[in-house]
Amino acid sequence: MSGTFDHAKLSDFEEFWRDHQKWLQERGYMLRPRYMPDWKASWLTGAKKPYWMCEDGDIPMLASTLMDATRISDGAYVALKSIKPSVHPYEVEIGTYLSSEPLASDPKNHCVPIYEVLDVPDVDDRVILVMPLLRKYNHPPLQTFGESVDFFQQVFEGLQFMHNHHVAHRDCMSLNIMMDGSMYPDGWHPCSDWIKRDYSDDVKPYTRTQRPPKYYLIDFGISRRHSPGDTSPSNYPILGGDKSVPEFRKSADKCNPYPTDVYYLGNMIRQDFMQVKLGFEFMDVLVADMVQDEPTKRPTMDQVVERFSRVRKDLTNSKLRARIPDRDEGAFKALYRGL
C-alpha cells in the first residue's frame, strides 16, 4: 500500500473525520494530529524522518467506518464508529440496550459498551457510536492453555448472556471478538498496535497471565433482539464473516439464529485453536457438538457453559500453565520455545 498511497494526503474516508474534528472536540473527543484541519505532514515540515517513522504518517489500518480518539475529560482512548441507521437499523438500539443498567454491571456481560451515541449534525442518516478502544483478541498470541481456557470461558459466558437477554449476535466470529488494554498500561498506536502511541518505542505488554484482559463481542450490525416469549425465533439468513454455516448452505429459509451463533463460536475455536495448535483435545467433544450440521443437535449456550465448566475442572494446573505448541513447529523450534 505504501507504494501507491500518498501518506501526506488524507484518503476520502479520512476527510470525513477531519471535517468533523472541531465538532467532535466540542463533544469531548480529540482526534490525532493527522486529522486536525490545518494538518501538514511532519516529515515534510521539519521532522527530518521518513514518514514511516512519524506518528502522523501511519495510514489507518481500521475499517473506513472506524476512528480512534482521546476522551478529553479523562484521557481515555476510545473508538468511534460511524454507521448509517438505514443500513443497520437495530445496531444502536441493541448496543445501547446491552450497555444499559442493570445489564452493564453484570460480570457475564461481554458486549462492547456503548458510551455515547452522537448524531452527526450535517450528514443525513449518520450517527457515531463511542466505545472503548480494543485490540484483536489474539494479538499478541495466547501463550498458555490457561489463558485459552479463560478466553473460552469469557466468550461462552458473553454469548450466553446475549441469548439469555434475547439477542442473537449472528456474526460472532474471530474478527468480532476483541480484548481490552489490560496488558498494555501505556497504550498502543491504534494503526500499528505493536508500537507506542507516540512512536517512541515498541510496546512492552504484560502477559495475559500477569494481567488478564477482558474479552468483548463487538459489532451488532446484523444482530437481532427478540421478544422474551419467543424461545425459538426465526430470521432470514444473513451471511457474516464465517461463510461456512451449514444451514445457510442448505436453504435460504428462515431459521433459528441461536444455534447458528453456537456454530460460529465452535467453528472459531476449531479454526483458531484446534486446527493450528496442539493440545486442545479436551475441547474435541464439545466443539464437535457445537458445529454439528443439524442445528437442532447443537447444545444451547446454557448447555455449552455448563459442559465447559466440567471440562475446565478436569484440567490440571500443569496443563493450564503449559505453553501452546504450534502444529507445524519442528523439534528445534519446540525446544527453543519450551526453554
Side-chain angles (χ1 to χ4, degrees):
M1 183 178 291
S2 60
T4 58
F5 186 92
D6 186 349
H7 291 250
K9 295 181 179 180
L10 300 184
S11 62
D12 290 343
F13 88 82
E14 288 181 289
E15 291 179 354
F16 167 84
W17 297 104
R18 178 204 60 195
D19 293 345
H20 292 85
Q21 183 276 325
K22 290 185 177 180
W23 168 71
L24 285 166
Q25 184 174 348
E26 292 171 357
R27 296 303 304 264
Y29 303 99
M30 182 65 73
L31 301 184
R32 284 180 281 118
R34 182 177 175 89
Y35 303 106
M36 297 297 107
D38 58 352
W39 171 74
K40 296 186 184 303
S42 62
W43 61 95
L44 300 179
T45 57
K48 297 182 179 179
K49 292 188 292 186
Y51 72 83
W52 62 85
M53 295 181 66
C54 298
E55 186 281 328
D56 61 334
D58 207 342
I59 60 175
M61 299 299 288
L62 303 172
S64 61
T65 56
L66 296 174
M67 183 53 63
D68 65 283
T70 301
R71 189 163 57 194
I72 297 171
S73 62
D74 60 1
Y77 299 134
V78 298
L80 308 177
K81 181 179 183 181
S82 168
I83 67 169
K84 294 182 178 181
S86 64
V87 177
H88 297 296
Y90 306 106
E91 186 164 7
V92 172
E93 184 267 328
I94 289 174
T96 53
Y97 166 66
L98 294 169
S99 298
S100 65
E101 294 294 353
L103 278 67
S105 298
D106 192 318
K108 293 186 177 181
N109 186 348
H110 290 269
C111 301
V112 60
I114 308 298
Y115 295 149
E116 189 175 5
V117 180
L118 306 175
D119 292 307
V120 181
D122 56 347
V123 181
D124 292 335
D125 190 30
R126 189 74 63 91
V127 300
I128 292 175
L129 305 182
V130 184
M131 303 169 287
L133 183 66
L134 303 175
R135 295 176 61 90
K136 295 178 182 178
Y137 88 84
N138 56 359
H139 186 70
L142 292 87
Q143 296 180 328
T144 70
F145 288 101
E147 293 173 354
S148 299
V149 166
D150 180 55
F151 168 70
F152 298 158
Q153 181 73 36
Q154 291 195 41
V155 294
F156 285 163
E157 284 185 350
L159 189 58
Q160 178 194 35
F161 177 88
M162 292 188 69
H163 287 187
N164 287 346
H165 288 86
H166 318 293
V167 178
H169 190 288
R170 306 183 77 196
D171 197 17
C172 46
M173 38 75 75
S174 294
L175 295 179
N176 287 333
I177 304 173
M178 303 191 78
M179 67 179 183
D180 68 12
S182 300
M183 299 164 59
Y184 294 82
D186 298 323
W188 65 89
H189 196 281
C191 299
S192 301
D193 61 7
W194 61 89
I195 200 167
K196 290 184 177 181
R197 198 173 181 88
D198 62 1
Y199 262 53
S200 62
D201 197 2
D202 290 347
V203 293
K204 296 177 176 60
Y206 289 89
T207 67
R208 286 175 171 79
T209 302
Q210 292 170 316
R211 295 199 177 182
K214 181 169 182 176
Y215 298 98
Y216 289 98
L217 296 164
I218 69 164
D219 194 353
F220 308 122
I222 61 174
S223 300
R224 293 294 183 271
R225 182 182 176 189
H226 302 101
S227 168
D230 190 355
T231 57
S232 184
S234 60
N235 302 143
Y236 283 111
I238 298 179
L239 286 178
D242 184 346
K243 313 298 184 186
S244 66
V245 179
E247 52 267 37
F248 292 178
R249 298 199 308 267
K250 295 176 182 178
S251 171
D253 294 338
K254 287 184 175 182
C255 59
N256 187 335
Y258 295 139
T260 305
D261 277 355
V262 174
Y263 174 88
Y264 280 136
L265 270 196
N267 197 43
M268 178 275 297
I269 294 172
R270 177 170 61 177
Q271 292 182 333
D272 289 6
F273 294 87
M274 301 169 70
Q275 292 180 347
V276 295
K277 304 290 184 179
L278 294 171
F280 282 98
E281 293 80 7
F282 60 90
M283 295 295 292
D284 282 351
V285 176
L286 178 55
V287 169
D289 284 347
M290 293 175 71
V291 299
Q292 290 198 72
D293 281 357
E294 176 52 52
T296 59
K297 294 182 179 180
R298 298 171 197 155
T300 65
M301 283 312 301
D302 285 339
Q303 293 169 333
V304 168
V305 169
E306 193 275 329
R307 288 176 58 177
F308 181 71
S309 68
R310 299 201 301 268
V311 169
R312 185 172 186 169
K313 288 178 182 177
D314 289 337
L315 299 175
T316 64
N317 285 336
S318 59
K319 175 65 174 182
L320 294 172
R321 294 178 64 86
R323 75 174 183 89
I324 304 171
D326 295 333
R327 282 194 174 274
D328 60 354
E329 71 180 26
F332 178 78
K333 184 178 180 181
L335 177 62
Y336 173 78
R337 291 191 65 198
L339 292 174

